[in-house]
Amino acid sequence: MTGDQRKTAQALLTTHGRTYAAEAGITLRDTPQPLYQLLVLSCLLSARIRASVAVSAAHELFEAGMRDPRSMRDATWQQRVDALGRGSYRRYDERTATQLGDGAQLLLDDYKGDLRKLRDEAGGDVGRLRELLQKVPGLGPAGAGIFLREAQAVWPDLIPYIDGKALQGAERLGLPKDPDALARLVPADDTAVFAAALVRAALEKDVVEDVEAETS
């Protein structure tokens, strides 16, 4: 680890330090409703679609009142489709509308709508937590990884959770490719924000340029 790497990490936080949850208007806390909203966002982000579209679609769902498992389940399929459409999430809207309804029902049946109960069932085993998350319709390995990457902001036992996409961003920026080494570049409280910024470095061409400009 070098001083230049710390400088790069700080520049990345300065220029692109924002979680995807924050971008979608989610005030993340360790309580059922925002954790569920993060789960919905993770499902949307895991599709092969631009992150900005997924964020917009999540915002539209929440604005339409679908902010918790019960309201998502009780909304009609067409209401879910329409909200996704307003967020331009049209390629996968019908399938996703079905998955969101089914996922909400599963969470209500198995965990009374509280993802903290799912976390407790995993008993501190991150691998098991990933497996349980993937039982939610529409949430595969990528989506589970997105959820855990952002959830570490309120579930500190997950720190450092740096997934494969974030590691790709680290490589583009000349940063370590080891999650523990990366996490040591920033304060623990910034790990989730840092991981999201690393993902942006992997996905968005201008991020590296912005960091270089900040450090020059």
Side-chain angles (χ1 to χ4, degrees), residues 124-194:
D125 183 332
V126 177
R128 176 63 176 154
L129 183 52
R130 237 185 339 255
E131 289 176 5
L132 291 172
L133 285 167
Q134 289 178 62
K135 291 183 179 181
V136 177
L139 198 75
I146 292 166
F147 178 87
L148 295 173
R149 187 183 72 220
E150 300 250 329
Q152 68 186 319
V154 292
W155 289 354
D157 288 350
L158 295 173
I159 297 173
Y161 196 93
I162 311 288
D163 62 0
K165 187 60 70 174
L167 291 175
Q168 290 177 23
E171 185 173 11
R172 287 193 68 193
L173 291 164
L175 295 176
K177 290 180 284 184
D178 173 73
D180 291 324
L182 276 172
R184 288 195 293 272
L185 293 172
V186 299
D189 289 348
D190 288 335
T191 307
V193 175
F194 184 46

Side-chain angles (χ1 to χ4, degrees), residues 8-64:
T8 296
Q10 187 55 54
L12 180 63
L13 285 174
T14 299
T15 57
H16 294 278
R18 192 180 188 200
T19 63
Y20 286 95
E23 192 173 336
I26 302 168
T27 302
L28 195 58
R29 294 186 297 271
D30 189 19
T31 54
Q33 184 167 296
L35 287 170
Y36 174 69
Q37 291 172 6
L38 174 59
L39 187 77
V40 170
L41 175 62
S42 300
C43 287
L44 299 177
L45 283 168
S46 64
R48 293 183 178 179
I49 201 161
R50 291 196 312 276
S52 59
V53 172
V55 166
S56 176
H59 181 75
E60 290 293 339
L61 287 165
F62 306 149
E63 283 294 300

Side-chain angles (χ1 to χ4, degrees), residues 1-13 170 173-176 182 185-186 194 211-212 214-216:
M1 188 183 307
T2 68
D4 285 346
Q5 288 176 334
R6 286 190 182 279
K7 189 176 179 181
T8 296
Q10 187 55 54
L12 180 63
L13 285 174
L173 291 164
L175 295 176
L182 276 172
L185 293 172
V186 299
F194 184 46
V211 171
E212 289 174 346
E214 184 73 15
T215 54
S216 62

